[in-house]
């Protein structure tokens, strides 16, 4: 193995620092790679956090694999079918997916990954047929999912999309449902169909008037190692989960006040502090994107009503991930949701 690099795709550009991106592709280059069976993202020392994936493309000098949401920075190993192993000389950096905030089409519905409400396409047919529906990603024209259903006139049919496709969860962007084959002429989409829609990974967590902080100590790294962003809103403004997942902690802490930590479905850690009252969710609960968590407050070590929000790289909050500056993402989420 000579190098491990990020491989850009139309829906997933690579960061300039050459790091791999969760959900993106990793390309391994070297010699005699044709017998490769597995790619291992090693993470830290020890096997407990190793993530093993099957490569998508295997050739003599080139192997491609999707970077799992659970993968974290560390060496990368390839294993061939004879048990032979080769490990990268250097630690490969793995970063969260870049900010992708698709422009929303005026009037087109919006959906959020992991939310309860899913995009839905419904139609009726003029004659009995086996109708085929495809979900297409606008960025690269790729077909993400296909449905085939037997339809009879007078029986409305519908399909809905759960955000998944080949290789798992799909990136943010614009998508559309389309009828194919015979159905193109013999099926009629219902007026309420979400034929074309925008799809986002997160929702902005404060649901009401707010500001994103005034810089300085409100920002990531401001004050003495501030690990999040302080955003101000009236006490009582609803706070929701930016991304669904599993509630890792929901409780009270002398400094954090009423707080919630969520292990996101995307592998990132999401932290909400100083909420007014006891959280509306409990530890261990699985929650969707947009789940109500509580209200902006000033409990714990807080001055003024605000939400202290943290974002951690996989595998999350004080579990080996590291805090990342959430402000660029908060700005993007705030602009569309
Ligand atoms: Zn803070």
């Amino acid at each position: 193995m000579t190098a491990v690099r990020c491989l850009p795709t139309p829906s997933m550009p690579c960061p300039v620092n050459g790091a791999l991106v969760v959900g993106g592709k990793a390309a391994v280059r070297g010699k005699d790679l044709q017998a490769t069976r597995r790619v291992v993202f090693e993470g830290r020392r020890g096997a407990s956090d190793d993530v093993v994936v099957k490569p998508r493309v295997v050739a003599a000098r080139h192997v491609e694999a999707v970077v799992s949401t659970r993968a974290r920075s560390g060496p990368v190993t390839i294993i061939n079918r004879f048990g032979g192993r080769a490990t990268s000389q250097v630690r490969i950096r793995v970063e969260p997916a870049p900010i992708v905030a698709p422009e929303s089409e005026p009037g087109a519905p919006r959906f959020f990954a992991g939310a309860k409400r899913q995009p839905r396409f419904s139609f009726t047919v003029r004659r009995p047929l086996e109708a085929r529906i495809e979900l297409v990603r606008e960025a690269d024209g790729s077909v993400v999912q296909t449905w085939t259903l037997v339809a009879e006139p007078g029986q409305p049919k519908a399909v809905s999309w759960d955000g998944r496709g080949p290789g798992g969860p799909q990136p943010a962007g614009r998508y559309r449902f389309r009828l194919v084959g015979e159905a193109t002429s013999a099926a009629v989409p219902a007026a309420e169909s979400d034929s074309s829609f925008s799809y986002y990974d997160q929702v902005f967590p404060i649901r009401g008037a707010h500001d994103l902080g005034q810089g300085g100590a409100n920002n990531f790294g401001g004050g003495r190692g501030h690990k999040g962003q302080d955003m101000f809103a009236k006490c009582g403004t609803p706070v929701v989960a930016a991304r669904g997942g599993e509630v890792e902690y929901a409780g009270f802490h002398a400094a954090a006040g009423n707080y919630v930590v969520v292990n996101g479905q995307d592998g990132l850690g999401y932290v909400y502090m100083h909420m007014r009252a006891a959280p509306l969710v409990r530890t261990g609960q699985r929650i969707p994107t947009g789940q109500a968590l509580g209200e902006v407050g000033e409990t714990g070590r807080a001055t003024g009503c605000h939400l202290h929000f943290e974002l951690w790289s996989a595998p999350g909050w004080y579990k080996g991930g590291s805090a990342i500056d959430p402000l660029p993402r908060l700005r993007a989420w705030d602009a569309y949701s």
Side-chain angles (χ1 to χ4, degrees), residues 114-130:
K116 272 194 187 149
R117 200 170 65 95
Q118 297 183 339
R120 189 178 146 89
F121 181 78
S122 36
F123 62 97
T124 52
V125 292
R126 296 197 186 93
R127 55 183 163 80
L129 83 152
E130 214 177 57

PDB file of all heavy atoms in Angstrom, residues 114-130:
ATOM      1  N   GLY A 114     -33.423  11.148   9.156  1.00  0.00           N
ATOM      2  CA  GLY A 114     -33.729  10.606  10.479  1.00  0.00           C
ATOM      3  C   GLY A 114     -34.952  11.214  11.135  1.00  0.00           C
ATOM      4  O   GLY A 114     -35.210  10.967  12.312  1.00  0.00           O
ATOM      5  N   ALA A 115     -35.701  12.039  10.398  1.00  0.00           N
ATOM      6  CA  ALA A 115     -36.907  12.648  10.975  1.00  0.00           C
ATOM      7  C   ALA A 115     -38.098  11.705  10.797  1.00  0.00           C
ATOM      8  O   ALA A 115     -38.036  10.752  10.019  1.00  0.00           O
ATOM      9  CB  ALA A 115     -37.187  13.988  10.313  1.00  0.00           C
ATOM     10  N   LYS A 116     -39.170  11.984  11.531  1.00  0.00           N
ATOM     11  CA  LYS A 116     -40.360  11.137  11.421  1.00  0.00           C
ATOM     12  C   LYS A 116     -41.003  11.262  10.046  1.00  0.00           C
ATOM     13  O   LYS A 116     -41.457  10.290   9.470  1.00  0.00           O
ATOM     14  CB  LYS A 116     -41.395  11.573  12.461  1.00  0.00           C
ATOM     15  CG  LYS A 116     -41.197  10.888  13.790  1.00  0.00           C
ATOM     16  CD  LYS A 116     -42.430  11.102  14.647  1.00  0.00           C
ATOM     17  CE  LYS A 116     -42.181  10.583  16.036  1.00  0.00           C
ATOM     18  NZ  LYS A 116     -42.927  11.341  17.031  1.00  0.00           N
ATOM     19  N   ARG A 117     -41.073  12.477   9.529  1.00  0.00           N
ATOM     20  CA  ARG A 117     -41.753  12.709   8.256  1.00  0.00           C
ATOM     21  C   ARG A 117     -40.794  12.347   7.116  1.00  0.00           C
ATOM     22  O   ARG A 117     -39.656  12.818   7.095  1.00  0.00           O
ATOM     23  CB  ARG A 117     -42.144  14.189   8.169  1.00  0.00           C
ATOM     24  CG  ARG A 117     -43.228  14.501   7.178  1.00  0.00           C
ATOM     25  CD  ARG A 117     -43.685  15.953   7.363  1.00  0.00           C
ATOM     26  NE  ARG A 117     -42.622  16.899   7.043  1.00  0.00           N
ATOM     27  CZ  ARG A 117     -42.479  17.478   5.851  1.00  0.00           C
ATOM     28  NH1 ARG A 117     -43.310  17.220   4.863  1.00  0.00           N
ATOM     29  NH2 ARG A 117     -41.489  18.332   5.645  1.00  0.00           N
ATOM     30  N   GLN A 118     -41.231  11.497   6.230  1.00  0.00           N
ATOM     31  CA  GLN A 118     -40.391  11.055   5.113  1.00  0.00           C
ATOM     32  C   GLN A 118     -41.016  11.465   3.787  1.00  0.00           C
ATOM     33  O   GLN A 118     -42.233  11.519   3.674  1.00  0.00           O
ATOM     34  CB  GLN A 118     -40.262   9.531   5.123  1.00  0.00           C
ATOM     35  CG  GLN A 118     -39.560   9.006   6.363  1.00  0.00           C
ATOM     36  CD  GLN A 118     -39.369   7.507   6.319  1.00  0.00           C
ATOM     37  OE1 GLN A 118     -40.064   6.795   5.590  1.00  0.00           O
ATOM     38  NE2 GLN A 118     -38.430   7.019   7.105  1.00  0.00           N
ATOM     39  N   PRO A 119     -40.179  11.711   2.759  1.00  0.00           N
ATOM     40  CA  PRO A 119     -40.737  12.048   1.455  1.00  0.00           C
ATOM     41  C   PRO A 119     -41.564  10.888   0.900  1.00  0.00           C
ATOM     42  O   PRO A 119     -41.191   9.718   1.047  1.00  0.00           O
ATOM     43  CB  PRO A 119     -39.507  12.317   0.583  1.00  0.00           C
ATOM     44  CG  PRO A 119     -38.338  11.862   1.365  1.00  0.00           C
ATOM     45  CD  PRO A 119     -38.721  11.742   2.786  1.00  0.00           C
ATOM     46  N   ARG A 120     -42.663  11.239   0.267  1.00  0.00           N
ATOM     47  CA  ARG A 120     -43.641  10.225  -0.142  1.00  0.00           C
ATOM     48  C   ARG A 120     -44.130  10.556  -1.552  1.00  0.00           C
ATOM     49  O   ARG A 120     -44.394  11.719  -1.865  1.00  0.00           O
ATOM     50  CB  ARG A 120     -44.783  10.319   0.865  1.00  0.00           C
ATOM     51  CG  ARG A 120     -45.806   9.252   0.800  1.00  0.00           C
ATOM     52  CD  ARG A 120     -46.800   9.536   1.924  1.00  0.00           C
ATOM     53  NE  ARG A 120     -48.136   9.141   1.511  1.00  0.00           N
ATOM     54  CZ  ARG A 120     -48.626   7.929   1.696  1.00  0.00           C
ATOM     55  NH1 ARG A 120     -47.926   7.015   2.315  1.00  0.00           N
ATOM     56  NH2 ARG A 120     -49.835   7.640   1.256  1.00  0.00           N
ATOM     57  N   PHE A 121     -44.222   9.528  -2.363  1.00  0.00           N
ATOM     58  CA  PHE A 121     -44.700   9.702  -3.732  1.00  0.00           C
ATOM     59  C   PHE A 121     -45.935   8.832  -3.908  1.00  0.00           C
ATOM     60  O   PHE A 121     -45.900   7.631  -3.650  1.00  0.00           O
ATOM     61  CB  PHE A 121     -43.607   9.273  -4.722  1.00  0.00           C
ATOM     62  CG  PHE A 121     -43.993   9.424  -6.160  1.00  0.00           C
ATOM     63  CD1 PHE A 121     -43.977  10.674  -6.773  1.00  0.00           C
ATOM     64  CD2 PHE A 121     -44.390   8.326  -6.909  1.00  0.00           C
ATOM     65  CE1 PHE A 121     -44.333  10.825  -8.104  1.00  0.00           C
ATOM     66  CE2 PHE A 121     -44.742   8.469  -8.248  1.00  0.00           C
ATOM     67  CZ  PHE A 121     -44.713   9.723  -8.837  1.00  0.00           C
ATOM     68  N   SER A 122     -47.050   9.431  -4.312  1.00  0.00           N
ATOM     69  CA  SER A 122     -48.267   8.638  -4.512  1.00  0.00           C
ATOM     70  C   SER A 122     -48.813   8.863  -5.912  1.00  0.00           C
ATOM     71  O   SER A 122     -48.576   9.903  -6.532  1.00  0.00           O
ATOM     72  CB  SER A 122     -49.296   8.935  -3.434  1.00  0.00           C
ATOM     73  OG  SER A 122     -49.278  10.281  -3.067  1.00  0.00           O
ATOM     74  N   PHE A 123     -49.512   7.864  -6.398  1.00  0.00           N
ATOM     75  CA  PHE A 123     -49.981   7.924  -7.783  1.00  0.00           C
ATOM     76  C   PHE A 123     -51.174   6.989  -7.977  1.00  0.00           C
ATOM     77  O   PHE A 123     -51.457   6.130  -7.140  1.00  0.00           O
ATOM     78  CB  PHE A 123     -48.847   7.529  -8.749  1.00  0.00           C
ATOM     79  CG  PHE A 123     -48.355   6.112  -8.555  1.00  0.00           C
ATOM     80  CD1 PHE A 123     -48.834   5.067  -9.359  1.00  0.00           C
ATOM     81  CD2 PHE A 123     -47.421   5.818  -7.572  1.00  0.00           C
ATOM     82  CE1 PHE A 123     -48.373   3.764  -9.179  1.00  0.00           C
ATOM     83  CE2 PHE A 123     -46.968   4.516  -7.379  1.00  0.00           C
ATOM     84  CZ  PHE A 123     -47.442   3.491  -8.176  1.00  0.00           C
ATOM     85  N   THR A 124     -51.868   7.185  -9.082  1.00  0.00           N
ATOM     86  CA  THR A 124     -52.923   6.249  -9.496  1.00  0.00           C
ATOM     87  C   THR A 124     -52.576   5.802 -10.920  1.00  0.00           C
ATOM     88  O   THR A 124     -51.789   6.462 -11.608  1.00  0.00           O
ATOM     89  CB  THR A 124     -54.306   6.925  -9.501  1.00  0.00           C
ATOM     90  OG1 THR A 124     -54.217   8.121 -10.269  1.00  0.00           O
ATOM     91  CG2 THR A 124     -54.762   7.270  -8.094  1.00  0.00           C
ATOM     92  N   VAL A 125     -53.179   4.681 -11.360  1.00  0.00           N
ATOM     93  CA  VAL A 125     -52.908   4.193 -12.720  1.00  0.00           C
ATOM     94  C   VAL A 125     -54.200   4.148 -13.531  1.00  0.00           C
ATOM     95  O   VAL A 125     -55.281   4.018 -12.973  1.00  0.00           O
ATOM     96  CB  VAL A 125     -52.241   2.789 -12.696  1.00  0.00           C
ATOM     97  CG1 VAL A 125     -50.837   2.875 -12.128  1.00  0.00           C
ATOM     98  CG2 VAL A 125     -53.085   1.791 -11.912  1.00  0.00           C
ATOM     99  N   ARG A 126     -54.043   4.265 -14.844  1.00  0.00           N
ATOM    100  CA  ARG A 126     -55.207   4.239 -15.738  1.00  0.00           C
ATOM    101  C   ARG A 126     -55.565   2.810 -16.125  1.00  0.00           C
ATOM    102  O   ARG A 126     -56.672   2.536 -16.540  1.00  0.00           O
ATOM    103  CB  ARG A 126     -54.910   5.049 -17.006  1.00  0.00           C
ATOM    104  CG  ARG A 126     -54.683   6.517 -16.729  1.00  0.00           C
ATOM    105  CD  ARG A 126     -54.807   7.306 -18.036  1.00  0.00           C
ATOM    106  NE  ARG A 126     -54.465   8.693 -17.817  1.00  0.00           N
ATOM    107  CZ  ARG A 126     -53.248   9.197 -17.990  1.00  0.00           C
ATOM    108  NH1 ARG A 126     -52.259   8.441 -18.424  1.00  0.00           N
ATOM    109  NH2 ARG A 126     -53.025  10.463 -17.757  1.00  0.00           N
ATOM    110  N   ARG A 127     -54.580   1.910 -16.056  1.00  0.00           N
ATOM    111  CA  ARG A 127     -54.824   0.497 -16.357  1.00  0.00           C
ATOM    112  C   ARG A 127     -53.927  -0.354 -15.466  1.00  0.00           C
ATOM    113  O   ARG A 127     -52.916   0.158 -14.944  1.00  0.00           O
ATOM    114  CB  ARG A 127     -54.567   0.202 -17.836  1.00  0.00           C
ATOM    115  CG  ARG A 127     -53.194   0.599 -18.306  1.00  0.00           C
ATOM    116  CD  ARG A 127     -53.034   0.346 -19.795  1.00  0.00           C
ATOM    117  NE  ARG A 127     -51.903   1.063 -20.337  1.00  0.00           N
ATOM    118  CZ  ARG A 127     -50.636   0.686 -20.254  1.00  0.00           C
ATOM    119  NH1 ARG A 127     -50.319  -0.424 -19.643  1.00  0.00           N
ATOM    120  NH2 ARG A 127     -49.677   1.412 -20.792  1.00  0.00           N
ATOM    121  N   PRO A 128     -54.284  -1.636 -15.241  1.00  0.00           N
ATOM    122  CA  PRO A 128     -53.464  -2.466 -14.351  1.00  0.00           C
ATOM    123  C   PRO A 128     -52.033  -2.557 -14.890  1.00  0.00           C
ATOM    124  O   PRO A 128     -51.842  -2.754 -16.090  1.00  0.00           O
ATOM    125  CB  PRO A 128     -54.138  -3.842 -14.400  1.00  0.00           C
ATOM    126  CG  PRO A 128     -55.487  -3.610 -14.964  1.00  0.00           C
ATOM    127  CD  PRO A 128     -55.405  -2.397 -15.842  1.00  0.00           C
ATOM    128  N   LEU A 129     -51.053  -2.388 -14.025  1.00  0.00           N
ATOM    129  CA  LEU A 129     -49.663  -2.549 -14.454  1.00  0.00           C
ATOM    130  C   LEU A 129     -48.729  -2.700 -13.261  1.00  0.00           C
ATOM    131  O   LEU A 129     -49.122  -2.470 -12.112  1.00  0.00           O
ATOM    132  CB  LEU A 129     -49.207  -1.377 -15.345  1.00  0.00           C
ATOM    133  CG  LEU A 129     -48.739  -0.094 -14.689  1.00  0.00           C
ATOM    134  CD1 LEU A 129     -47.751   0.607 -15.586  1.00  0.00           C
ATOM    135  CD2 LEU A 129     -49.909   0.812 -14.404  1.00  0.00           C
ATOM    136  N   GLU A 130     -47.496  -3.126 -13.579  1.00  0.00           N
ATOM    137  CA  GLU A 130     -46.451  -3.180 -12.582  1.00  0.00           C
ATOM    138  C   GLU A 130     -45.702  -1.859 -12.714  1.00  0.00           C
ATOM    139  O   GLU A 130     -44.998  -1.664 -13.708  1.00  0.00           O
ATOM    140  CB  GLU A 130     -45.528  -4.356 -12.892  1.00  0.00           C
ATOM    141  CG  GLU A 130     -44.970  -5.002 -11.657  1.00  0.00           C
ATOM    142  CD  GLU A 130     -44.120  -6.208 -11.985  1.00  0.00           C
ATOM    143  OE1 GLU A 130     -43.140  -6.045 -12.748  1.00  0.00           O
ATOM    144  OE2 GLU A 130     -44.439  -7.295 -11.499  1.00  0.00           O
TER     145      GLU A 130
END
